[in-house]
Amino acid sequence: MSWADPQALWILLLVPVAAAAFWWNAARRRRATQRFGQASTVTPLIFGRAEWWRLSRAVIALVGVALVIIAFAGPQYGSRTRVLRKRGIDVVIALDFSKSMLAQDVHPSRIKRAKAELELLLNELEGDRVGLVAFAGDSMAFPMTVDYSAIRLFLRDLGPMDMPYGGTAIGKALIASMRLIESSSSRSSTAESAPATRSRVVLLLTDGEDHEGDPIAAAEELAATGIKVYTVGIGSSSGEPIPSYTADGTLTGHLRDSDGGVVMTSLTAENESTLREIASITGGEYVRAEEGTVGVVQIRRQLAKLQASERKARRVTVHENRYALLLLPGFLLLVLEGLLPEAWILGRRRREP
């Protein structure tokens, strides 16, 4: 036996107070009756049976009130296991849109392959909120939503040539992802009665070439807020030239440096080490993209584990509420007391010959 609100039981102290008040009122009425006439003649006729009638009504009322108070305290007996409504997880996809993602060591290119695999990922999500951070030298954020078609549209329309700043700033992308998740969590907590406690994840897909900022310090900030980062390293270790395009998308050759040499991009051991450390600090995992992919398939497996864990965490033991077993009889007793006449016996005696 347990109680949903045991503090409500303190209200039961009012019951003996009410009983004492009834006793005092009965004693006062008895003294008034004795002053009215001889106790030996008036009291047996008027006081005796009438007083017992009032006592019965008072007992009925007090028992009814006590039952209602106990019902409000929420008596609970027995329990069962219940799975709460699916809550899902919060996922921010941080996708590298730097020009090095145009490299074609993954067919047809790193960025196009990443978009195609992310489409497959979105097809498998259900009830999870998803946001998108596109980054190069700076970041662009798309708000978190469960409308995956809007995320797909954003992915299809955006390309490396649309980014206002060149380069790759992984640290800025991680901070932008954290702010996106926190702003979404804060709105959810305001809209719901209880704060949101969904699992929060950042999927960082990049070739690892960080040109500015401190991604390790950013990872430590995310770890402090409980956000896991799953990093995916894209590209070959041997190096790949970066295609060059005009504004209308026409291929003009390969990107060249100031000395006229072809710019090469590769996923170096140093870059992989940085991505591994980011994942390790936040409790996530590093995934090395398999040949011909950008690693989203492996990420889908990791998210499936998180989703299964989230559903398991929502399995709770619920105590059975038994307040109705007391509330109904208590209510009926109060109704009965209200319907009973105050002096039925006296009226009946007056009608007798």
Side-chain angles (χ1 to χ4, degrees), residues 12 27 50 81 87 95 129 143 201 220 223 236 243 273 318 322 352:
L12 285 173
T81 301
R87 181 172 55 193
L95 179 58
R129 293 186 299 195
V201 176
E220 290 172 348
S236 63
S273 176
V318 180
R322 306 294 184 181
E352 292 176 355

Side-chain angles (χ1 to χ4, degrees), residues 217-278:
E220 290 172 348
E221 286 193 47
L222 269 71
T225 60
I227 299 174
K228 294 182 177 182
V229 181
Y230 289 81
T231 56
V232 181
I234 304 173
S236 63
S237 56
S238 58
E240 182 75 11
I242 302 174
S244 177
Y245 297 89
T246 61
D248 61 359
T250 303
L251 179 65
T252 60
H254 293 97
L255 194 65
R256 296 181 179 273
D257 58 23
S258 56
D259 297 327
V262 176
V263 178
M264 304 291 289
T265 175
S266 63
L267 182 61
T268 65
E270 182 182 357
N271 294 341
E272 283 197 277
S273 176
T274 299
L275 295 178
R276 281 196 184 92
E277 189 172 357
I278 291 172

Side-chain angles (χ1 to χ4, degrees), residues 33-45:
T33 303
Q34 289 173 348
R35 286 196 301 268
F36 178 76
Q38 295 293 329
S40 59
T41 57
V42 178
T43 300
L45 294 176

Side-chain angles (χ1 to χ4, degrees), residues 15 35 53 97 136-137 172 180 206 231 277 281 318 334 352:
V15 174
R35 286 196 301 268
W53 180 252
F97 274 83
K172 288 183 179 179
L180 191 59
T206 179
T231 56
E277 189 172 357
I281 289 172
V318 180
L334 292 176
E352 292 176 355

Side-chain angles (χ1 to χ4, degrees), residues 299-318:
I299 288 297
R300 283 157 59 188
R301 298 192 196 107
Q302 298 300 327
L303 284 182
K305 293 179 183 178
L306 276 178
Q307 290 165 332
S309 175
E310 191 74 14
R311 287 192 292 270
K312 183 178 180 181
R314 299 297 282 169
R315 194 176 295 273
V316 296
T317 299
V318 180

Side-chain angles (χ1 to χ4, degrees), residues 26-199:
R28 182 180 61 83
R29 186 181 291 108
R30 185 184 299 109
R31 288 193 299 268
T33 303
Q34 289 173 348
R35 286 196 301 268
F36 178 76
Q38 295 293 329
S40 59
T41 57
V42 178
T43 300
L45 294 176
I46 300 178
F47 175 76
R49 293 188 179 182
E51 195 65 22
W52 281 109
W53 180 252
R54 295 190 186 96
L55 176 62
S56 300
R57 294 184 67 238
V59 170
I60 291 173
L62 291 175
V63 172
V65 169
L67 291 176
V68 169
I69 293 173
I70 296 174
F72 281 149
Q76 297 173 332
Y77 179 75
S79 61
R80 59 188 172 89
T81 301
R82 183 164 70 95
V83 178
L84 300 184
R85 181 178 59 86
K86 182 176 179 180
R87 181 172 55 193
I89 59 178
D90 285 344
V91 182
V92 171
I93 300 169
L95 179 58
D96 189 346
F97 274 83
S98 62
K99 289 183 173 60
S100 59
M101 290 290 288
L102 294 169
Q104 298 174 347
D105 49 356
V106 179
H107 183 75
S109 68
R110 294 176 182 176
I111 189 66
K112 288 183 179 179
R113 184 66 184 183
K115 289 182 178 182
E117 291 191 21
L118 286 172
E119 288 253 6
L120 295 176
L121 172 65
L122 291 173
N123 290 337
E124 294 187 358
L125 298 178
E126 181 184 355
D128 304 306
R129 293 186 299 195
V130 180
L132 179 64
V133 170
F135 69 95
D138 207 345
S139 301
M140 299 171 57
F142 185 88
M144 300 196 71
T145 179
V146 293
D147 182 4
Y148 304 144
S149 59
I151 298 287
R152 293 187 185 95
L153 184 62
F154 191 82
L155 279 171
R156 290 170 190 165
D157 290 347
L158 189 65
M161 308 305 295
D162 299 317
M163 302 304 291
Y165 300 100
T168 307
I170 294 176
K172 288 183 179 179
L174 290 175
I175 296 299
S177 301
M178 179 183 70
R179 289 174 179 165
L180 191 59
I181 289 177
E182 289 182 336
S183 64
S184 176
S185 297
S186 130
R187 287 193 299 270
S188 174
S189 298
T190 302
E192 299 173 6
S193 58
T197 56
R198 303 156 69 107
S199 296

Side-chain angles (χ1 to χ4, degrees), residues 276-338:
R276 281 196 184 92
E277 189 172 357
I278 291 172
S280 176
I281 289 172
T282 59
E285 289 189 26
Y286 169 69
V287 173
R288 179 67 163 88
E290 298 174 354
E291 186 175 354
T293 73
V294 293
V296 177
V297 174
Q298 297 96 307
I299 288 297
R300 283 157 59 188
R301 298 192 196 107
Q302 298 300 327
L303 284 182
K305 293 179 183 178
L306 276 178
Q307 290 165 332
S309 175
E310 191 74 14
R311 287 192 292 270
K312 183 178 180 181
R314 299 297 282 169
R315 194 176 295 273
V316 296
T317 299
V318 180
H319 295 287
E320 296 286 357
N321 291 314
R322 306 294 184 181
Y323 65 89
L325 299 177
L326 298 173
L327 184 60
L328 180 59
F331 174 75
L332 293 177
L333 286 175
L334 292 176
V335 171
L336 175 62
E337 191 276 337

